[in-house]
Structures are given as C-alpha cells and as structure tokens.
Amino acid sequence: IPAAITLLLILIFVLLVGQKVYATNLEEAAMLQRETAESMYITEIKEVLNNNGFGNCGVNMTKATDEMGEWEYTVIVYHHSFDWMESDERAELEKSMESMGTDVLGKISLTLLSR
C-alpha cells in the first residue's frame, strides 16, 4: 500500500505540474497574439497617415489594464502638419484611426498632436 500511495502522490504532482505548464503556454500564446495585433495596428496607422500626406509621424502607444482586467490603449501621433488641419477634419482622422484597432485590441484613445 505505501507504494500505491507514493505512486498516487507522484501522479498528482505530475498532473499539477502539467497543468501549470499548459496554463503558462496559453498565457504566452495570448500575449504573443496581443503583441502581434498591437504591432499590426501601429503599422496600419502609419500607412493611413502616409497615404494622407503625413509621412514620418511619431507614434507612441501605451497600454494599461483597467479594474476589470481589460486592456486600454492610449495612442499619440505627432506631426507638425496637424496644426494646419481643420478641427473637424482632424477629429474625423482621429476617430477613423481609433476605430481601426478596437475590434482586436479593445478600448483605444487616439490623439493627434503637433510637434
């Protein structure tokens, strides 16, 4: 009987370790997927800006989690020509770029600033 108890304890230990490894792999895969989506979003923003005549923009994205554990992103785009845009045109560009990533990333707040 002591051998059976030892075998049972070893089996439980292996199952617990296996579960932990599996959970860690899932978390890493989810993080990799999120980082890929973030990178794609920044690339899309830069393409839209280049297509609208705002080449060589500075794009800064920060992220945080809210109290519910949901990701929130703040994106700031810098370009000297934003000062010369009409306010409604500027707001439309901000909203369109903000909405480009909300399906994948969640809540995004995007601001255009002049440098």
Side-chain angles (χ1 to χ4, degrees), residues 6-89:
T6 303
L7 184 59
L8 180 61
L9 290 174
I10 291 172
L11 180 61
I12 291 171
F13 177 75
V14 168
L15 288 174
L16 289 174
V17 169
Q19 181 182 13
K20 176 65 176 166
V21 168
Y22 178 72
T24 301
N25 286 342
L26 285 179
E27 290 173 9
E28 288 175 1
M31 186 58 85
L32 180 61
Q33 184 178 10
R34 177 162 292 284
E35 289 172 356
T36 301
E38 292 166 357
S39 178
M40 289 174 59
Y41 176 64
I42 293 297
T43 300
E44 289 174 11
I45 284 177
K46 288 181 179 182
E47 286 177 12
V48 167
L49 290 165
N50 280 331
N51 292 339
N52 284 293
F54 301 107
N56 200 22
C57 286
V59 180
N60 183 22
M61 180 167 70
T62 59
K63 60 185 174 182
T65 54
D66 63 11
E67 54 276 346
M68 300 295 288
E70 298 293 320
W71 288 98
E72 294 181 355
Y73 294 88
T74 302
V75 179
I76 300 175
V77 181
Y78 300 95
H79 196 276
H80 60 84
S81 296
F82 292 149
D83 268 347
W84 302 313
M85 291 178 74
E86 296 291 328
S87 60
D88 57 337
E89 182 184 19

